[in-house]
Amino acid sequence: MVSLCICFPGGTFVTTRHGVKQLDELLQGEEVLTLTKQSQKWTQFYTWGHIQRDLIAEFVQVKVKGGKELQISEEHLLFVEGKNGKRVAKNAGRVVIGDKLYYFDEDSQCTELLAVEEIGKVQAKGVYAPFTMNGDFLANRFAVSCYANVSNCKVAHAALSPLRTWYKVRPEKEDLLSKEGIHSYAEKLMKFRELITTSPFARKVVTNK
């Protein structure tokens, strides 16, 4: 069975060149804000990895100091402070109280590390998994990856390289307003991964470790 990339509810906020928008208002080709290791930058939103506007789904809700919060699916990657102060990706379902998340304060234009104070589960409407050229973005001003159901952002981003190239060179744009479901390219990658990990050879390698 192929697992779904649920990711974020439609009410999640992103910062665009034209101001703050909800994910369910985002238009193809818009630039959204993200964070590099040193500062912030703009990256283009080019398509949905998964979108189902009316689906009610369960999300992990993480809250930090000041009541700031993020709703995100448990298998989705967000960025936390790791050992030696390095930024690392972590599945939202594995986040624990005390983990420090990267948060961009647009008033001060500074990146802050905010400790998680509360973790819960909520249900919300809409399933939105945006793909950006940089492979990440700011969701409710928290630094998050575009990818889920993986353990390595760099590998996932490399696997999407042909798709990004396709969107760069094609002259016409998709009709994202009528799009629903998982992107066909992402779905094929998920099926290929499942085929590899469940093959007799893969099981033999695991058994022999």
Side-chain angles (χ1 to χ4, degrees):
M1 181 177 179
V2 176
S3 55
L4 299 181
C5 301
I6 293 176
C7 299
F8 304 94
T12 303
F13 289 103
V14 293
T15 300
T16 76
R17 291 276 194 184
H18 306 291
V20 176
K21 289 187 175 184
Q22 293 186 168
L23 279 181
D24 56 14
E25 301 171 324
L26 196 59
L27 301 177
Q28 186 179 27
E30 284 194 285
E31 290 187 312
V32 298
L33 199 63
T34 188
L35 292 177
T36 66
K37 292 181 180 180
Q38 291 80 27
S39 62
Q40 69 273 14
K41 67 173 291 185
W42 297 101
T43 181
Q44 187 184 60
F45 158 67
Y46 65 93
T47 193
W48 297 112
H50 184 196
I51 178 171
Q52 287 184 261
R53 294 173 176 83
D54 296 323
L55 180 65
I56 304 298
E58 184 176 81
F59 298 88
V60 174
Q61 181 169 268
V62 292
K63 292 184 178 181
V64 299
K65 184 178 180 180
K68 302 176 181 70
E69 64 181 50
L70 175 68
Q71 295 172 356
I72 180 174
S73 60
E74 64 179 13
E75 292 301 322
H76 198 89
L77 295 172
L78 47 68
F79 295 105
V80 304
E81 184 185 40
K83 295 180 180 179
N84 302 318
K86 293 182 63 177
R87 189 175 84 161
V88 298
K90 189 174 187 178
N91 295 105
R94 295 179 57 239
V95 168
V96 297
I97 302 296
D99 275 348
K100 293 182 179 179
L101 308 185
Y102 288 81
Y103 180 86
F104 180 67
D105 188 312
E106 293 188 356
D107 294 327
S108 65
Q109 294 290 296
C110 293
T111 301
E112 302 176 351
L113 281 168
L114 301 180
V116 175
E117 296 184 342
E118 185 180 336
I119 302 172
K121 294 286 185 70
V122 297
Q123 289 195 330
K125 181 180 179 181
V127 166
Y128 293 80
F131 282 165
T132 70
M133 290 296 175
N134 210 56
D136 48 39
F137 65 104
L138 293 178
N140 287 1
R141 300 184 180 179
F142 292 93
V144 300
S145 169
C146 290
Y147 310 121
N149 301 308
V150 295
S151 58
N152 190 306
C153 286
K154 291 183 179 180
V155 172
H157 195 57
L160 270 292
S161 178
L163 186 64
R164 291 193 299 277
T165 301
W166 169 250
Y167 278 98
K168 287 178 182 178
V169 301
R170 61 181 300 179
E172 73 281 358
K173 299 296 183 183
E174 272 185 302
D175 179 15
L176 293 189
L177 294 178
S178 62
K179 190 177 181 65
E180 288 279 334
I182 300 176
H183 194 288
S184 58
Y185 184 90
E187 188 172 24
K188 287 181 174 64
L189 282 180
M190 293 162 68
K191 288 181 177 179
F192 178 73
R193 183 186 65 178
E194 182 178 271
L195 179 64
I196 294 298
T197 57
T198 59
S199 68
F201 175 75
R203 288 197 296 269
K204 183 177 180 181
V205 170
V206 173
T207 303
N208 290 337
K209 283 186 177 180

